[in-house]
Amino acid sequence: MRGVFVTGTGTEVGKTVAAAVIARTHAEAGERVAVFKPAVSGLDEGGEPDHALLRRASGSEQSDDEIAPYRYGPPVSPHLGAELAGERIEPRRLVDAAHAAAARGDFLVGEGVGGLLVPLTLGYLVRDLARDLALPLVIAAPPGLGTINHTLMTIEAARAVGLEVAAVVLTPWPANPSTVEASNREAIERLGAVRVETLARIDPGDAERWPALSLP
Ligand SMILES: Nc1ncnc2c1ncn2[C@@H]1O[C@H](COP(=O)(O)OP(=O)(O)OP(=O)(O)O)[C@@H](O)[C@H]1O
Ligand SMILES: [Mg+2]
């Protein structure tokens, strides 16, 4: 399976934005791109949900179920979303759905939920799914104060179980980076021994104007 699995240092850090730009970059290069997200929660909050933005970015014709097999209304961790809905997330179903999605394209862009150690069930973390899919990781992280620690911890948690970290993406990267932001980029590159890319602020609604982000 060719592709990437986009995780992040936490929730609301730019995973979907980064995954969408990566997906579009591959699609623009003529590849058939499929997308996948194990679980989406917070549908009650409105706005374009992650699976819809990923589908639009990739040009894929996958159904909601094919992209994100578990979808919940409340903005809570997936294991709790499932519990509140009276069901349990089945790891086997996630892995099968990701493989089915991958089989529809040349390249799979997966997005995790929250950070790497978020539970899908109390016995199966996002990290376990990333391992089962054996895709290189892309870690989305904010560029500002506090990001070195969160990013290095995520890299450690990934490498501790043998996951490959393809790159960290600092997002949204400002047009004129401050001293802190520029220094964070260098520190993460050096201390994490990792490739660091940056992603400028985009308008998610205007895909025509997105920059390219070629990963891995
Ligand atoms: N490059 C960027 N351009 C525009 N907005 C960005 C960018 N990077 C991060 N953001 C902002 O950060 C917020 C979170 O982005 P996004 O939805 O991609 O996060 P996420 O990590 O996927 O969140 P979730 O954990 O809910 O899946 C968005 O409101 C978005 O505006
Ligand atoms: Mg997201």
Side-chain angles (χ1 to χ4, degrees), residues 171-182:
T171 180
W173 187 250
N176 296 301
S178 66
T179 307
V180 169
E181 289 156 344

Side-chain angles (χ1 to χ4, degrees), residues 25-216:
T25 302
H26 282 273
E28 289 278 287
E31 291 178 272
R32 286 177 311 143
V33 180
V35 290
F36 180 72
K37 168 135 182 159
V40 172
S41 50
L43 292 178
D44 289 347
E45 300 197 310
E48 185 178 34
D50 286 1
H51 53 279
L53 176 51
L54 293 172
R55 175 168 48 219
R56 183 162 62 77
S58 61
S60 118
E61 289 174 357
Q62 296 165 269
S63 68
D64 290 356
D65 276 334
E66 287 168 331
I67 297 174
Y70 296 95
R71 301 184 303 284
Y72 303 113
V76 297
S77 170
H79 80 286
L80 179 57
E83 191 182 312
L84 295 173
E87 62 181 19
R88 231 179 83 90
I89 291 178
E90 292 294 338
R92 186 72 249 166
R93 187 173 157 203
L94 292 178
V95 174
D96 289 348
H99 282 124
R104 297 180 54 122
D106 309 312
F107 192 87
L108 181 71
V109 178
E111 180 193 342
V113 185
L116 205 49
L117 300 188
V118 160
L120 293 164
T121 76
L122 287 181
Y124 191 76
L125 311 180
V126 169
R127 182 171 70 172
D128 297 316
L129 176 64
R131 276 178 90 186
D132 283 344
L133 301 184
L135 290 172
L137 286 190
V138 169
I139 300 170
L145 191 63
T147 204
I148 297 176
N149 178 56
H150 287 144
T151 304
L152 295 180
M153 289 203 299
T154 303
I155 292 171
E156 275 211 15
R159 290 182 180 154
V161 298
L163 282 166
E164 177 196 342
V165 181
V168 169
V169 175
L170 296 177
T171 180
W173 187 250
N176 296 301
S178 66
T179 307
V180 169
E181 289 156 344
S183 164
N184 283 347
R185 179 186 181 165
E186 274 179 34
I188 290 169
E189 212 157 36
R190 249 173 86 165
L191 296 173
V194 70
R195 172 177 170 191
V196 179
E197 298 290 339
T198 60
L199 179 60
R201 184 170 287 282
I202 60 157
D203 173 358
D206 189 5
E208 296 290 313
R209 301 186 59 186
W210 296 355
L213 182 55
S214 199
L215 285 172

